[in-house]
Amino acid sequence: MQKGGCVVGSSGPPLVIVAAICGAETTREDNPNLPLTPEELAEAATLARAAGAAMVHLHVRDQAGRPTQDREVFRRTMELIRAQSDILIQVSTGGAVGMTLEERAQPLELDPDMATLTCGTVNFGEGVFLNPPDGIRQLARRMLERGIRPELEILDVGMLAFAQRLEKEGLIKPPLHFDLVLGVRGGIPGGARNLVHLVESLPPGATWSVAGIGRWETPMGAMAIAMGGHVRVGLEDNVYYHRGVLAESNAQLVARMARIAAELGRPVADPATARQILGLPEGRPQGSAGSTA
Ligand code: KMH
Ligand code: ZN
């Protein structure tokens, strides 16, 4: 994949759309269409797949709708998703602000297709999303041991340098895959100049996607499509379809990206194609969600 190559007007490389369907912070008060239970999350993932998503970025909630990293809730949700859909599953190891690293690491035991690895600490609204160097190393080591490919979450510029240090230490293996998150209150703001700076700072051979937060979701996604990157959209990142108009579903946000991609000459990748693009190991058996080993 080209780092910054413009593909507008040509038939470009397939586009991987990731659906961030729930998150840890979004509430039903923010958007009543937010899926929360394992059944609702599985249905949302299936509909997102039908709309063009190749991978789901997964958080789960407890019975009261609060964020949890409980392994058994993840297991149930992953089993339901895999029973209904071939969508790839990327589990969150970020969890919610305030969780310990041990809590956050639980879904790694379930053999997900991919997992997030945030590469530094950042203010997160009024909270602090704590990712000290040795904590990041611990998560990276567990992923390496289990053969889980990390998606490197970059919420500010300095995190890129730490990712490259992890690579030098042998804790992550090239080609690296990055998710450039712009617009978190405390991280790098959204905008064309910031996105171009991040993309031009990536190591050679890297693949990348963009997650624009709030009003940045659509413009950053459209830019990423034009620049040859990939996109993440969903209610975790943005609850609106238009200013003041709530999104009806995650699938609606995915479908918009698929339409923009079609106009810009990027076919949407199915999960098998996304596997190749992202360098993921061969598929896990359908209907399974790992062992407890
Ligand atoms: N909920 C955020 C504090 C991830 O999923 O890896 C962290 C997050 C990142 O959502
Ligand atoms: Zn997340």
Side-chain angles (χ1 to χ4, degrees):
M1 183 77 53
Q2 291 294 308
K3 253 203 312 183
C6 181
V7 297
V8 176
S10 64
S11 181
L15 171 73
V16 178
I17 303 178
V18 178
I21 58 178
C22 170
E25 289 77 29
T26 309
T27 66
R28 281 265 165 86
E29 284 69 47
D30 299 323
N31 186 321
N33 303 314
L34 183 72
L36 294 175
T37 66
E39 290 75 17
E40 290 167 352
L41 290 165
E43 186 189 20
T46 304
L47 294 173
R49 165 81 178 98
M55 182 152 66
V56 61
H57 167 71
L58 191 63
H59 290 253
V60 296
R61 303 292 180 100
D62 67 14
Q63 288 186 347
R66 292 175 302 229
T68 178
Q69 290 290 103
D70 184 87
R71 188 180 60 194
E72 296 314 311
V73 183
F74 264 101
R75 185 197 305 281
R76 168 99 183 116
T77 308
M78 291 168 70
E79 279 173 358
L80 287 172
I81 293 173
R82 287 185 171 148
Q84 294 177 27
S85 175
D86 62 351
I87 195 165
L88 303 174
I89 301 177
Q90 175 197 84
V91 296
S92 168
T93 66
V97 164
M99 288 179 174
T100 66
L101 278 161
E102 274 311 310
E103 270 178 283
R104 286 165 50 179
Q106 291 177 74
L108 294 179
E109 295 169 31
L110 301 172
D111 292 332
D113 295 297
M114 206 172 199
T116 56
L117 182 66
T118 301
C119 295
T121 294
V122 65
N123 285 346
F124 200 88
E126 296 303 308
V128 181
F129 183 27
L130 207 56
N131 294 286
D134 274 340
I136 303 170
R137 288 188 180 100
Q138 264 181 47
L139 287 172
R141 199 169 288 117
R142 287 194 203 191
M143 292 185 205
L144 193 61
E145 284 164 5
R146 299 192 75 96
I148 301 168
R149 208 159 134 68
E151 176 179 274
L152 304 165
E153 305 297 313
I154 303 299
L155 284 74
D156 213 339
V157 184
M159 294 191 194
L160 276 177
F162 191 73
Q164 286 173 278
R165 182 183 303 183
L166 286 179
E167 184 185 350
K168 284 206 184 81
E169 293 174 2
L171 289 171
I172 54 176
K173 302 287 179 195
L176 305 182
H177 178 68
F178 293 88
D179 184 39
L180 309 174
V181 183
L182 293 93
V184 163
R185 205 150 45 85
I188 188 168
R193 196 176 50 170
N194 286 346
L195 177 58
V196 169
H197 177 66
L198 289 175
V199 172
E200 291 192 340
S201 306
L202 295 176
T207 52
W208 58 278
S209 64
V210 155
I213 304 303
R215 69 189 173 91
W216 290 109
E217 182 171 87
T218 306
M220 292 296 92
M223 274 195 70
I225 294 169
M227 291 168 70
H230 303 281
V231 297
R232 170 176 128 173
V233 292
L235 297 175
E236 172 169 346
D237 298 337
N238 165 44
V239 296
Y240 293 104
Y241 191 74
H242 289 303
R243 187 184 169 90
V245 180
L246 291 175
E248 289 167 11
S249 64
N250 284 287
Q252 186 191 29
L253 296 170
V254 171
R256 169 161 60 189
M257 281 300 134
R259 284 197 302 278
I260 294 170
E263 291 294 337
L264 295 181
R266 300 278 308 269
V268 163
D270 63 12
T273 308
R275 245 182 220 294
Q276 286 171 5
I277 292 169
L278 301 174
L280 304 184
E282 264 318 293
R284 319 274 180 202
Q286 285 287 308
S288 84
S291 67
T292 51

